[in-house]
Amino acid sequence: MTVPMLKIGAVLSTMAMVTNWMSQTLPSIVGLNGTTVSRGGTSERIVSALYPSPEEGWQIYSSAQDADGKCICTVVAPAQNMCNRDPRSRQLRQLMEKVQNISQSMEVLDLRTYRDLQYVRNTESLMKVVDGKLKVASENPRSLNPKGFQELKDKVNQLLPLLPVLEQYKTDAKMILRLREEVRNLSLVLMAIQEEMGAYDYEELRQRVLLLETRLHSCMQKLGCGKLTGVSNPITVRASGSRFGSWMTDTMIPSSDNRVWSMDGYFKGRRVLEYRTMSDFMKGQNFVQHLLPHPWAGTGHVVYNGSLYYNKYQSNIIIKYHFRSRSVLVQRSLSGAGYNNTFPYSWGGSSDIDLMADENGLWAVYTTIPNAGNIVISRLEPMSLEVLQTWDTGFPKRSAGESFMICGTLYVTNSHLAGAKIYFAYYTNTSSYEYTDIPFHNQYSHISMMDYNPRERVLYTWNNGHQVLYNVTLFQVIKTSGD
């Protein structure tokens, strides 16, 4: 059966952001530090957990079950004259701020879901209209010639499988509304705790957050790979470094690892900065330095499963550098690939070889003399860096501003300057291409790095000394129980 497709909208990256915030509350009721990120005139708070010592504040000393089987935990509260100094009092206030941030993200998710639900409803109405015409034609066959009748019947048969999918989508939309209500209830519970500061079942609260996270993951798992249909407004995270560079998070590791890497410049660089969290990157603090054994070329680097993959300066050699062991695990020449500004993107910068990762694995985008300077895509084996399969897109690399992979599809921008659009897509699954017209706001007018992160489902860009994120809208495939 062919899985039908619906436009769900750019909810994935928002949901991943909410899940990340929520997961930070799970170990305990902890202290929080906040940092503000500019998002088109609004603000969002990115938080990081600071774990208190076991001696601080509230302590659970026994537990039991009531008649309904609910877990009841008894806690030892600090002395009344210590309440104002109890770190839990401060931590609860900060946690309430965190729940408020979650609620704001859920509002954004709700707005996007409402917009796309209108599209779903329009599709459903169209299907009913077509079905009605088929019934009229069935009752009066003379009103439709045999060929037209068969075409209409085939069209309806193709639309009918959408019905259970539409029902599933409406169910998912209702589930998102329930999640929003549960977050609101959680906020009310925390307000009550703040007012009373009495005994409370913290484990129950933790389980509620776990349940919310589980439901969010369940919703995300229903959404598979999709076709890019839109890019959000830019989210400026930081302004740092020179005009050219790259920054990234790991495309494969668990969401609990929030490290960020930054590599300033496009040639002969060896210094990689590793930040503990996104918040630390924004502040420029809490980082360690890796000094690479070989300098890099270009900005087409990628961090994949704990290792940095990059192009060695003045060569077509790809290096795999492991951060934990601080060593080169493997290096291999990309046969025939141009280097040293032989076949760069339109902005130059030794951007001959662009390494990237998506839902399907590790990729290299480059070109060769036999391919007449047209973009070549090769899927790489991450352990050995062997080329598994190669595609010739037929698109001249020097005419491209930047490119990135999503779900096995290469998307190419027509420029690195202001007014750029995503206007070419090559599909490796069908070895076919099409010209697109997907605008995005190139806020700082000079992009030297643009890569997709499949774990967070956002685009990372380095734009004229600014580190910028974009959410993406994908034309999604919904998995139903009958598929």
Side-chain angles (χ1 to χ4, degrees):
M1 170 180 174
T2 301
V3 180
M5 303 181 69
L6 291 176
K7 179 182 178 185
I8 299 301
V11 301
L12 287 173
S13 56
T14 303
M15 295 173 68
M17 187 183 303
V18 176
T19 302
N20 182 43
W21 286 336
M22 296 173 66
S23 64
Q24 295 179 24
T25 68
L26 302 184
S28 61
I29 306 299
V30 298
L32 304 171
N33 286 339
T35 302
T36 301
V37 181
S38 171
R39 181 190 286 264
T42 62
S43 296
E44 292 185 0
R45 185 169 292 270
I46 294 181
V47 295
S48 58
L50 301 176
Y51 296 88
S53 64
E55 293 78 18
E56 290 182 326
W58 306 80
Q59 298 180 35
I60 298 175
Y61 73 88
S62 67
S63 62
Q65 287 186 334
D66 64 10
D68 297 325
K70 294 181 180 179
C71 177
I72 303 299
C73 297
T74 307
V75 301
V76 174
Q80 289 296 323
N81 59 1
M82 294 177 60
C83 283
N84 291 334
R85 291 177 293 152
D86 179 16
R88 297 292 180 180
S89 177
R90 182 186 68 257
Q91 292 160 4
L92 284 171
R93 288 196 303 271
Q94 293 169 332
L95 183 57
M96 288 182 65
E97 293 177 3
K98 185 172 186 178
V99 172
Q100 183 179 7
N101 291 331
I102 297 172
S103 300
Q104 290 172 353
S105 293
M106 295 298 291
E107 290 288 345
V108 174
L109 181 60
D110 179 57
L111 289 174
R112 292 176 178 174
T113 303
Y114 175 80
R115 179 196 62 195
D116 294 323
L117 186 57
Q118 294 299 115
Y119 170 83
V120 173
R121 287 170 177 164
N122 292 340
T123 304
E124 186 177 19
S125 300
L126 176 61
M127 182 179 61
K128 291 179 179 178
V129 169
V130 174
D131 188 46
K133 291 182 179 180
L134 178 61
K135 290 179 180 178
V136 171
S138 298
E139 294 171 357
N140 184 13
R142 294 181 180 179
S143 65
L144 195 66
N145 61 54
K147 181 179 178 180
F149 178 82
Q150 185 60 44
E151 288 177 352
L152 184 58
K153 185 176 181 180
D154 292 341
K155 186 64 177 178
V156 172
N157 288 336
Q158 293 175 10
L159 289 173
L160 286 178
L162 282 174
L163 280 173
V165 177
L166 291 168
E167 290 301 320
Q168 182 64 53
Y169 180 78
K170 287 188 286 186
T171 300
D172 290 344
K174 292 178 181 178
M175 181 184 68
I176 293 173
L177 292 176
R178 290 198 300 269
L179 288 174
R180 178 185 172 193
E181 182 64 19
E182 289 197 40
V183 172
R184 189 186 71 84
N185 292 339
L186 184 58
S187 179
L188 294 176
V189 170
L190 289 172
M191 290 180 64
I193 296 173
Q194 187 181 40
E195 292 175 359
E196 299 179 9
M197 290 300 292
Y200 185 79
D201 184 358
Y202 285 104
E203 180 61 24
E204 181 183 346
L205 179 61
R206 190 178 78 90
Q207 292 299 326
R208 289 186 65 182
V209 176
L210 277 171
L211 178 60
L212 284 170
E213 183 183 31
T214 300
R215 291 185 177 182
L216 283 171
H217 278 297
S218 176
C219 184
M220 290 178 65
Q221 288 169 2
K222 291 179 180 292
L223 303 174
C225 264
K227 178 180 178 181
L228 180 67
T229 59
V231 177
S232 75
N233 287 327
I235 306 163
T236 301
V237 175
R238 185 184 178 192
S240 66
S242 65
R243 190 178 189 184
F244 314 98
S246 61
W247 71 297
M248 66 216 79
T249 57
D250 200 313
T251 57
M252 187 176 177
I253 57 176
S255 58
S256 57
D257 190 327
N258 299 310
R259 288 177 294 170
V260 179
W261 290 270
S262 176
M263 301 167 68
D264 191 11
Y266 66 85
F267 75 107
K268 298 177 68 173
R270 296 176 59 196
R271 184 170 175 258
V272 182
L273 300 185
E274 176 187 307
Y275 294 85
R276 185 172 57 97
T277 64
M278 182 67 77
S279 177
D280 288 336
F281 172 72
M282 293 166 55
K283 298 174 184 176
Q285 64 183 27
N286 294 331
F287 63 86
V288 295
Q289 177 177 285
H290 298 269
L291 193 62
L292 300 177
H294 306 287
W296 70 68
T299 59
H301 328 299
V302 64
V303 176
Y304 184 81
N305 198 24
S307 293
L308 171 70
Y309 295 78
Y310 71 97
N311 176 211
K312 183 180 178 181
Y313 178 60
Q314 288 190 328
S315 76
N316 59 10
I317 294 173
I318 300 174
I319 293 178
K320 177 182 179 181
Y321 174 84
H322 189 241
F323 284 117
R324 180 167 295 180
S325 64
R326 292 178 178 262
S327 63
V328 173
L329 298 185
V330 64
Q331 53 182 314
R332 180 182 292 270
S333 174
L334 191 59
S335 179
Y339 61 92
N340 199 26
N341 271 328
T342 303
F343 298 114
Y345 290 122
S346 61
W347 66 272
S350 299
S351 56
D352 303 77
I353 298 175
D354 193 357
L355 302 170
M356 52 191 73
D358 70 353
E359 293 82 354
N360 296 344
L362 185 65
W363 305 84
V365 173
Y366 59 102
T367 191
T368 65
I369 292 177
N371 286 95
N374 292 331
I375 291 179
V376 174
I377 307 171
S378 288
R379 191 161 65 90
L380 306 179
E381 204 290 310
M383 298 296 291
S384 65
L385 295 180
E386 291 185 58
V387 173
L388 300 177
Q389 192 173 356
T390 297
W391 295 260
D392 180 0
T393 67
F395 188 90
K397 190 166 185 292
R398 285 182 173 272
S399 298
E402 266 292 341
S403 67
F404 53 91
M405 297 288 296
I406 298 180
C407 298
T409 299
L410 179 72
Y411 295 94
V412 181
T413 68
N414 62 345
S415 174
H416 61 285
L417 303 172
K421 292 184 178 183
I422 300 166
Y423 83 130
F424 181 83
Y426 187 89
Y427 306 98
T428 60
N429 61 335
T430 59
S431 298
S432 61
Y433 70 89
E434 70 172 336
Y435 287 92
T436 61
D437 186 17
I438 304 174
F440 67 96
H441 181 32
N442 186 349
Q443 186 170 2
Y444 304 105
S445 303
H446 198 287
I447 292 176
S448 59
M449 168 259 176
M450 192 172 197
D451 270 337
Y452 171 70
N453 187 305
R455 179 167 66 96
E456 301 169 358
R457 300 210 170 185
V458 297
L459 291 175
Y460 280 70
T461 67
W462 188 290
N463 194 337
N464 214 355
H466 297 79
Q467 291 73 54
V468 181
L469 295 175
Y470 293 89
N471 290 319
V472 299
T473 301
L474 301 179
F475 191 75
Q476 292 288 348
V477 176
I478 299 182
K479 302 174 184 177
T480 64
S481 58
D483 295 333

